[in-house]
Amino acid sequence: MGLFFGGDNLIKVFSKGLEPIGILENAYSVSVDKYVNEVWEASFTLPASDFKNTLCQHFNFIEITSKQTGRYHGLYRIMPTKTKKNETTNSITYMCEHVLSTLLDDVIEGYMQLTNQTTETVLQAILDIQEIKHWKLGTVSFTRYFHYKFENENGLLVPILSVPKPFNEPYEFTFDTKNYPWTINLVRPSNEVQSEIRWGKDMINFEDVSDPSKIVNFIIPKGAGEGVNQLTIESVNNGIRYLKDDESISKWGKRPYVWIDRRFEDAESLKASGQSLINQWKDPKFSFECEAADLSVLPGYEGRRKLGTVTKVIVGDEKQYEGRILVEHIPDLSKEYDAKYEINNGIDDIATTQADLERKQRVNEAYSQGATNILNYDYQDNCDQNNPATIKFFIDNDVVNINTCELTFDTEEFRAYSQATEGGGATVQSTGSGGGVVKSTSSGGGTTQTSSSGGGTSTSTSSGGGTSQTSSSGGNHRHVMFQTTGTVARDPSEATAATVYNGTIYLDGNTPTMSQIETLYASGDHSHTISVPNHSHDFSIPNHSHSVTIPNHTHEIDVPNHSHNITLPNHTHNIKHGIFKLAQVPTQVTIRVDGNLVSHTAIIGNRVNIEPYLQKENGKIVRGRHQITITPNGLGRINANLILRVFIQSHIGGNF
């Protein structure tokens, strides 16, 4: 957005959507008040009869440019609560605020935390919250890492202005509102003298104020919290709770001050802000107002005084000051040379600005300071030398301080609640058993008759025939072999071998002699061959019954050495319910906290301080998980209580 109505115009009007809608030619009594690191103000007056009053709607924008020098004095918007009507002069005066105030249009609802981020990252994160992106981030001359927390902020302006508060050197917010979106910069102003105001030349009047009563050279910074839980700088200042300036103390004496700002929840940021303040307050603070002609409006004149720059004030031969211009007031742009300045020798800190004062008024309403709480952890269980009692507990990040951490416990008998449990099947082999003779009990005899059975003919199964040869038989003996060839008489000459024919023996067809017969009849070793044809046997079984008589008797059994294998199927056992305790208790215990051995070994402990044994980082107990183990030297039961007193600030979760 630029100057699109011409260079000699004074006030231009823009709609809420930043569209140009007119020029206020009849505006008069145009004044501008500029402040370092604060919202600028402006005002102008129109005749009540001027129809262009209709352009001056609430929250419309105006751009102010000097008619005489063409100097651009910034972009503002009309604020409804500051518009005044004057019946006497028949005029309307419009009060305006710099467009930096548009950062009040958005809010930070809830809790926002930025830890160990660069200055640029923090500023960008805040600007990103804008619903309408009026502002973008430009130059950032600082790279600092501080801890920032914002909660329920009505506007983004105060959080942005508070970002450089911990800096211990000058800083200045500058703006570019000629181009949209507008640009905000955070720069390091020069400490070099860039202009001067001299009595007898351009200084019209001068009021010197020097107040040594406000010297502070020994400061004790304190932040969020209360009582012993209030934030101090000891953890980041070598255990020392204060800051001091020895040179100032030597010159002016010790001037102590307890500085409390509950917005600080981080020790590093608290220390940096405290150091910034002691740098400002260690010497007498002088401030003065002077009215001086701004001769730089004249052609060819150099050395224009600019807001935020260092100027030299020369009152006489003996009085010279150097200070920064913190306020520039031009009552009427038609007399732009007539300006008033407020000059200060301190570093302008947000703690001295109006915005910061307003913010401090809301601290107790917007910020929860926290409260002291007691955390109680109970534990009861059996344990032994291999399975210790294990107490696990968690310390949340919302815990700011841990005031005490104490363990109370006692040791009892080991306790069980049943005498049988469910079991599965298995194969079990008994121990070996010696053998022996075992006699059964005697039994009386008697006659027993089977049931009768009807007779009948039974046929055995068929059996195939065949040739069978007996085993050889030794010894001398005789055999007479006869072959009957038939009953019909035949001629003996037809007989062969030894043949009986019609009762007569023939040998090879002839009648043998006695010696031949004896030879025939005598033989040596021999065998018999029998041919059995296929056959079966039939036998007849008559109707019958059996009678059996059993006399009185006993049985004797010889049992050899043996063992038994028994297979047990899956099964369950009925449980015998009850509380069963051992008769003895352990005689001592071993306690460890986060792995660190505690000197206490008795089986009873009352309020044992375990804080020295908890895991720490930079001297602070680590937030997160912790563990205590109590190991007895036998079967036992531990009953324990762990009690922590802590200071908590809650920034997470909902209201459930």
Side-chain angles (χ1 to χ4, degrees), residues 393-403 615-617 619-626 646-647:
F393 61 100
F394 185 86
I395 302 176
D396 197 84
N397 289 333
D398 279 355
V399 173
V400 178
N401 293 325
I402 299 173
N403 305 128
Q615 181 184 358
K616 296 182 176 64
E617 187 174 297
K620 297 282 286 184
I621 295 174
V622 173
R623 301 316 188 244
R625 298 184 183 277
H626 296 270
V646 300
F647 183 74

Side-chain angles (χ1 to χ4, degrees), residues 352-370:
T352 64
T353 65
Q354 178 180 355
D356 186 63
L357 293 175
E358 293 174 353
R359 189 172 192 261
K360 283 186 175 182
Q361 292 173 2
R362 296 186 287 110
V363 162
N364 290 332
E365 298 175 3
Y367 284 79
S368 61
Q369 294 303 312

Side-chain angles (χ1 to χ4, degrees), residues 163-437:
V163 168
K165 178 177 180 178
F167 297 177
N168 57 358
E169 59 179 314
Y171 62 86
E172 182 181 1
F173 285 102
T174 63
F175 322 104
D176 174 11
T177 55
K178 291 183 178 181
N179 300 285
Y180 188 83
W182 310 310
T183 302
I184 183 171
N185 309 294
L186 178 59
V187 299
R188 181 182 288 105
S190 172
N191 290 323
E192 299 296 324
V193 175
Q194 298 185 19
S195 60
E196 70 174 26
I197 301 174
R198 185 182 293 271
W199 180 262
K201 178 182 179 183
D202 48 15
M203 182 183 297
I204 299 173
N205 59 52
F206 173 78
E207 182 178 349
D208 181 5
V209 177
S210 179
D211 189 1
S213 66
K214 293 184 179 181
I215 294 175
V216 173
N217 48 34
F218 187 99
I219 190 169
I220 304 172
K222 294 192 175 185
E226 58 190 0
V228 297
N229 294 304
Q230 191 160 20
L231 179 67
T232 67
I233 64 171
E234 292 178 68
S235 62
V236 295
N237 196 43
N238 298 320
I240 300 173
R241 73 184 192 283
Y242 57 84
L243 299 168
K244 65 176 182 174
D245 187 280
D246 291 332
E247 183 179 350
S248 176
I249 292 174
S250 175
K251 186 175 182 180
W252 305 102
K254 182 179 178 181
R255 315 286 288 188
Y257 181 72
V258 178
W259 172 62
I260 300 175
D261 192 333
R262 297 183 187 274
R263 290 171 297 172
F264 286 95
E265 299 176 2
D266 172 68
E268 285 283 2
S269 301
L270 179 66
K271 177 184 176 181
S273 291
Q275 188 62 56
S276 175
L277 291 178
I278 204 170
N279 289 343
Q280 297 178 61
W281 299 344
K282 65 181 180 179
D283 295 315
K285 183 176 182 179
F286 77 83
S287 63
F288 52 85
E289 294 183 1
C290 67
E291 186 175 350
D294 184 5
L295 302 180
S296 65
V297 301
L298 301 176
Y301 186 89
E302 296 181 357
R304 178 189 174 187
R305 306 181 192 106
K306 294 182 180 180
L307 187 71
T309 61
V310 176
T311 188
K312 180 180 290 187
V313 179
I314 303 172
V315 180
D317 294 338
E318 297 181 357
K319 280 193 174 184
Q320 294 189 12
Y321 305 90
E322 287 185 6
R324 197 173 299 277
I325 300 175
L326 302 182
V327 178
E328 180 184 17
H329 174 58
I330 303 176
D332 190 343
L333 280 186
S334 63
K335 301 176 181 179
E336 192 174 5
Y337 58 85
D338 186 8
K340 293 182 179 180
Y341 304 96
E342 291 184 15
I343 302 170
N344 195 298
N345 69 331
I347 301 171
D348 182 52
D349 188 274
I350 195 65
T352 64
T353 65
Q354 178 180 355
D356 186 63
L357 293 175
E358 293 174 353
R359 189 172 192 261
K360 283 186 175 182
Q361 292 173 2
R362 296 186 287 110
V363 162
N364 290 332
E365 298 175 3
Y367 284 79
S368 61
Q369 294 303 312
T372 300
N373 292 264
I374 294 179
L375 305 181
N376 187 12
Y377 299 89
D378 295 331
Y379 179 92
Q380 299 87 29
D381 205 353
N382 292 325
C383 53
D384 62 19
Q385 58 269 39
N386 298 316
N387 300 280
T390 302
I391 306 171
K392 297 181 179 180
F393 61 100
F394 185 86
I395 302 176
D396 197 84
N397 289 333
D398 279 355
V399 173
V400 178
N401 293 325
I402 299 173
N403 305 128
T404 64
C405 188
E406 297 173 331
L407 176 66
T408 298
F409 72 96
D410 59 57
T411 308
E412 295 181 345
E413 302 91 341
F414 182 89
R415 180 182 297 181
Y417 298 96
S418 61
Q419 287 187 322
T421 58
E422 182 177 330
T427 298
V428 180
Q429 180 168 316
S430 70
T431 58
S433 174
V437 176

Side-chain angles (χ1 to χ4, degrees), residues 64-93:
I64 300 177
T65 306
S66 171
K67 284 184 177 180
Q68 293 179 333
T69 62
R71 291 177 180 175
Y72 177 76
H73 289 280
L75 185 66
Y76 304 79
R77 66 176 179 175
I78 300 171
M79 303 305 295
T81 59
K82 297 183 179 181
T83 299
K84 300 178 182 179
K85 293 184 179 181
N86 191 323
E87 298 294 339
T88 303
T89 60
N90 196 26
S91 63
I92 301 175
T93 299

Side-chain angles (χ1 to χ4, degrees), residues 481-521:
M481 304 300 295
F482 301 97
Q483 180 178 358
T484 302
T485 60
T487 59
V488 181
R490 298 183 61 180
D491 190 286
S493 63
E494 296 177 2
T496 61
T499 304
V500 178
Y501 184 77
N502 288 336
T504 304
I505 298 174
Y506 296 91
L507 181 62
D508 294 330
N510 299 310
T511 301
T513 65
M514 183 55 68
S515 61
Q516 289 177 317
I517 291 173
E518 289 177 354
T519 302
L520 177 64
Y521 275 60

